[in-house]
Amino acid sequence: MTDHFKGRQFNQSVITFAVGYYLRYNISYRDLVEMMRDRGIFVHHTTLMRWVQHYSPIMRALWRKRHRRTSKSWRMDETYIKIKGQWNYLYRAIDDQGLTLDF
């Protein structure tokens, strides 16, 4: 993903922060400019619009690649593990393919 940010004026973390906030929350570009200004980053709203148009398809493709759909069938798994010398229960939600959904 770092190749996509080569030659940009702003750092990769700034761009992903701005695009991520715009895509996650229902805010305007001008509101996002104010949020960035509060953090000491001065950027114009049209620049944010260009970032969203350029990076949102890339971020979506990367997200889809990492977050596969799970099946509707899952079960609860329970095991006993040792943490800092003390035995504790660990409960996990596992789908039918053996992938851990949550613990």
Side-chain angles (χ1 to χ4, degrees):
M1 178 124 177
T2 57
D3 295 338
H4 300 288
F5 297 97
K6 199 171 227 175
R8 297 289 178 173
Q9 181 181 357
F10 288 92
N11 194 356
Q12 174 182 351
S13 61
V14 172
I15 296 172
T16 54
F17 171 80
V19 175
Y21 260 71
Y22 180 80
L23 295 176
R24 182 172 297 170
Y25 304 108
N26 190 16
I27 59 175
S28 68
Y29 292 119
R30 294 180 193 269
D31 291 339
L32 190 56
V33 165
E34 288 180 23
M35 288 174 58
M36 302 289 279
R37 190 177 304 131
D38 290 342
R39 289 168 172 77
I41 302 166
F42 298 95
V43 63
H44 199 265
H45 68 277
T46 55
T47 304
L48 292 174
M49 181 190 68
R50 289 186 193 118
W51 287 351
V52 169
Q53 290 175 349
H54 184 264
Y55 291 108
S56 60
I58 297 168
M59 292 175 89
R60 182 177 181 187
L62 290 173
W63 184 83
R64 286 184 144 203
K65 188 177 185 180
R66 292 185 183 182
H67 291 82
R68 297 178 290 167
R69 290 186 151 243
T70 58
S71 64
K72 294 181 181 179
S73 174
W74 62 276
R75 64 184 174 87
M76 186 66 89
D77 184 28
E78 169 184 331
T79 187
Y80 206 52
I81 61 171
K82 198 174 201 178
I83 301 173
K84 294 185 180 179
Q86 184 178 9
W87 288 97
N88 296 310
Y89 277 107
L90 173 68
Y91 298 97
R92 301 185 298 171
I94 299 175
D95 67 354
D96 59 352
Q97 298 173 356
L99 299 173
T100 302
L101 303 176
D102 198 5
F103 59 92

